[in-house]
Amino acid sequence: MQPMDLSKQWIFKSFIHLMSQQDIRESKLSVRMSEELHIFEKEFGEKGNLTLSEIHLIACIGDFSPINVTSISEKTGLTKGSITRISKKLLKLALIKRQQINDNKKEVYYSLTSKGQKVYVIHHRIHQEIEERFMNFLDKYTADELVFASKFIQDLTEWDY
């Protein structure tokens, strides 16, 4: 086998490994978030059992409040049906609130309650910690290597297998 073919094969195997590691990383993020939410739950005396999708919906509402279902769907990639289902749970837990703006009964907007704001802050802090660690990880690469990595990742995200 040619050295170029061996390199391509190694990259492919590494790509598959990276994809399989994603589940593990998401589990670690869920555990960290659960630990933080446990403290939150003690404070409010109730159990939320939030999923990552629910937490990310809270984050989206926190970032763009007030926001409607269509905009949430565009920003998160979740279907409108999923958003409706998740929002019902978040409303029941008093993490978000619904409101109509300009007396338009058809158009519903969501914003965070004070409890929802606390979840938002926890999520935001964890994301900042992850981003900081990632930036420190990237410090070992040269500017040219980062340009290549950026192009490679962009191409990879556009590639359909």
Side-chain angles (χ1 to χ4, degrees):
M1 216 178 247
Q2 300 292 326
M4 182 74 128
D5 291 334
L6 289 173
S7 292
K8 286 179 180 179
Q9 220 169 16
W10 183 88
I11 290 170
F12 177 72
K13 285 180 182 176
S14 296
F15 169 71
I16 297 299
H17 179 71
L18 180 65
M19 288 178 54
S20 67
Q21 292 296 309
Q22 184 60 28
D23 286 339
I24 294 167
R25 287 186 177 98
E26 283 183 11
S27 294
K28 286 180 182 179
L29 178 60
S30 290
V31 167
R32 282 184 69 194
M33 197 66 199
S34 292
E35 290 168 353
E36 293 284 343
L37 287 174
H38 183 68
I39 296 165
F40 166 81
E41 289 166 353
K42 277 185 176 179
E43 181 180 337
F44 286 100
E46 58 187 56
K47 201 130 180 88
N49 294 331
L50 298 174
T51 66
L52 281 179
S53 292
E54 293 161 352
I55 292 166
H56 284 131
L57 188 74
I58 290 170
C60 182
I61 293 170
D63 286 341
F64 302 102
S65 180
I67 186 170
N68 64 18
V69 172
T70 301
S71 295
I72 294 170
S73 179
E74 290 168 358
K75 293 180 184 318
T76 63
L78 293 169
T79 65
K80 290 179 183 180
S82 292
I83 294 165
T84 300
R85 181 183 47 77
I86 292 169
S87 65
K88 284 180 183 177
K89 178 180 176 182
L90 299 179
L91 285 162
K92 191 174 182 180
L93 292 171
L95 295 170
I96 63 172
K97 58 187 172 186
R98 292 170 46 118
Q99 60 197 63
Q100 270 100 19
I101 297 177
N102 299 332
D103 295 328
N104 183 347
K105 300 288 184 205
K106 199 173 173 187
E107 195 72 46
V108 175
Y109 288 84
Y110 294 102
S111 57
L112 298 179
T113 63
S114 60
K115 285 171 58 175
Q117 188 66 32
K118 289 187 182 213
V119 173
Y120 173 80
V121 168
I122 291 167
H123 175 264
H124 185 70
R125 187 184 72 243
I126 289 172
H127 267 267
Q128 281 184 310
E129 291 169 5
I130 291 168
E131 183 177 344
E132 185 177 316
R133 288 180 64 209
F134 193 77
M135 293 302 156
N136 290 334
F137 165 77
L138 292 176
D139 283 344
K140 67 182 178 180
Y141 298 100
T142 67
D144 288 342
E145 289 170 327
L146 291 173
V147 167
F148 169 77
S150 178
K151 180 174 176 9
F152 179 75
I153 290 172
Q154 179 65 40
D155 289 348
L156 194 56
T157 57
E158 292 171 1
W159 175 66
D160 185 18
Y161 52 96

